[in-house]
Amino acid sequence: MLALLTEYRGSRTALLIYLGTLMHEATNQLTQLHPDHPPARMTERFLSWARARG
């Protein structure tokens, strides 16, 4: 995780795009594994911690 943060230190937008891509892949995989129970709170799990500080 530290390498990821270092790589995207200068571009929060690029980090969010990358994390969004991973979230989409994870959502698809989890839905295939458990079609009766779609994954919950994926945006919160993948993206909320990387939002800009206010």
Side-chain angles (χ1 to χ4, degrees), residues 5-43:
L5 294 176
T6 301
E7 181 178 347
Y8 290 99
R9 175 176 284 151
S11 181
R12 185 175 302 272
T13 301
L15 173 63
L16 289 170
I17 290 169
Y18 177 68
L19 292 173
T21 301
L22 294 178
M23 179 185 73
H24 181 71
E25 290 177 14
T27 299
N28 286 340
Q29 291 175 8
L30 287 169
T31 300
Q32 288 177 2
L33 288 172
H34 307 285
D36 295 333
H37 300 13
R41 299 176 27 201
M42 296 299 279
T43 300

Side-chain angles (χ1 to χ4, degrees), residues 12 15-16 19 23 42-54:
R12 185 175 302 272
L15 173 63
L16 289 170
L19 292 173
M23 179 185 73
M42 296 299 279
T43 300
E44 181 180 326
R45 293 176 183 186
F46 276 80
L47 302 175
S48 66
W49 66 272
R51 291 187 182 144
R53 295 181 183 116

